[in-house]
Amino acid sequence: SHKYDIETPESFNVIISGRLPLLKNGDVLCITDVLQWGQTGLRSIKLSNNYMLRSIAGCKEGEFALLENITFSGCTGLEKIPEDLFADCRSLRTLTNTFTNCTRLSDIPEGLFRGCTSVTQFNSIFYGCIGIKAIPENPFAECREALYFNSTFYNCTGLNEIPENLF
């Protein structure tokens, strides 16, 4: 645990090296942007209710190969999801509450779930995302193992368009 002795709020770039299997909200409620994930062996990302989080990086070099859990639920400042966020997520089996109540999200990238070939459940992933206006034509096309889509878009009151062959 590390604290900065500062009188006024400032921004710091933090670099983590070595192993970091779990990144959780209790440790990082003041993160505003994730610029890069890096090769840390992440298995779980739980950044729930971090209202200061504005942006997250995509998966560029297999950083999420071991990832089993990821959630940004309640990150009301999050405005955009990178299309390559789930690239190379071969250990990911379930997505639950991933973006629940991320009220500033306005769209879902077309290829967001391309790397989710082993995911069987998409539960409440966009629940309460009131800013989303439309769903891409076929976001789950490569998710051939997917069986459950419980409350996936529940309470997305801003939705104006739903594709005919969504599932």
Side-chain angles (χ1 to χ4, degrees):
S1 175
H2 182 78
K3 279 188 159 182
Y4 291 94
D5 289 327
I6 56 174
E7 296 296 322
T8 57
E10 294 184 36
S11 293
F12 299 93
N13 285 332
V14 177
I15 298 172
I16 298 169
S17 60
R19 305 313 266 163
L20 181 71
L22 169 63
L23 182 60
K24 63 184 174 84
N25 61 341
D27 300 333
V28 292
L29 284 176
C30 58
I31 288 179
T32 57
D33 302 280
V34 175
L35 305 177
Q36 178 182 344
W37 293 104
Q39 299 291 339
T40 60
L42 273 168
R43 290 187 178 274
S44 184
I45 299 171
K46 297 178 180 180
L47 295 179
S48 301
N49 301 314
N50 183 353
Y51 66 91
M52 295 182 70
L53 185 66
R54 296 180 306 225
S55 68
I56 52 178
C59 178
K60 304 291 184 210
E61 298 175 14
E63 298 100 330
F64 292 167
L66 302 174
L67 196 67
E68 297 170 355
N69 184 347
I70 184 169
T71 182
F72 300 98
S73 66
C75 292
T76 55
L78 187 61
E79 297 175 354
K80 186 177 179 186
I81 305 168
E83 184 169 12
D84 58 352
L85 180 64
F86 297 112
D88 197 27
C89 286
R90 46 184 176 250
S91 297
L92 197 59
R93 302 286 180 264
T94 302
L95 285 171
T96 300
N97 298 320
T98 310
F99 301 104
T100 295
N101 294 320
C102 290
T103 53
R104 287 201 185 154
L105 288 178
S106 58
D107 64 68
I108 301 166
E110 179 71 40
L112 179 62
F113 301 112
R114 275 194 196 116
C116 295
T117 55
S118 298
V119 174
T120 60
Q121 298 180 47
F122 289 89
N123 299 319
S124 303
I125 52 173
F126 295 109
Y127 183 111
C129 292
I130 59 175
I132 294 175
K133 305 286 185 242
I135 301 169
E137 191 59 41
N138 205 348
F140 307 106
E142 295 184 29
C143 305
R144 292 179 182 86
E145 301 296 318
L147 301 171
Y148 303 101
F149 293 90
N150 301 323
S151 302
T152 302
F153 299 101
Y154 185 79
N155 205 24
C156 292
T157 56
L159 272 176
N160 296 323
E161 237 177 279
I162 299 173
E164 185 176 326
N165 298 313
L166 180 58
F167 303 107

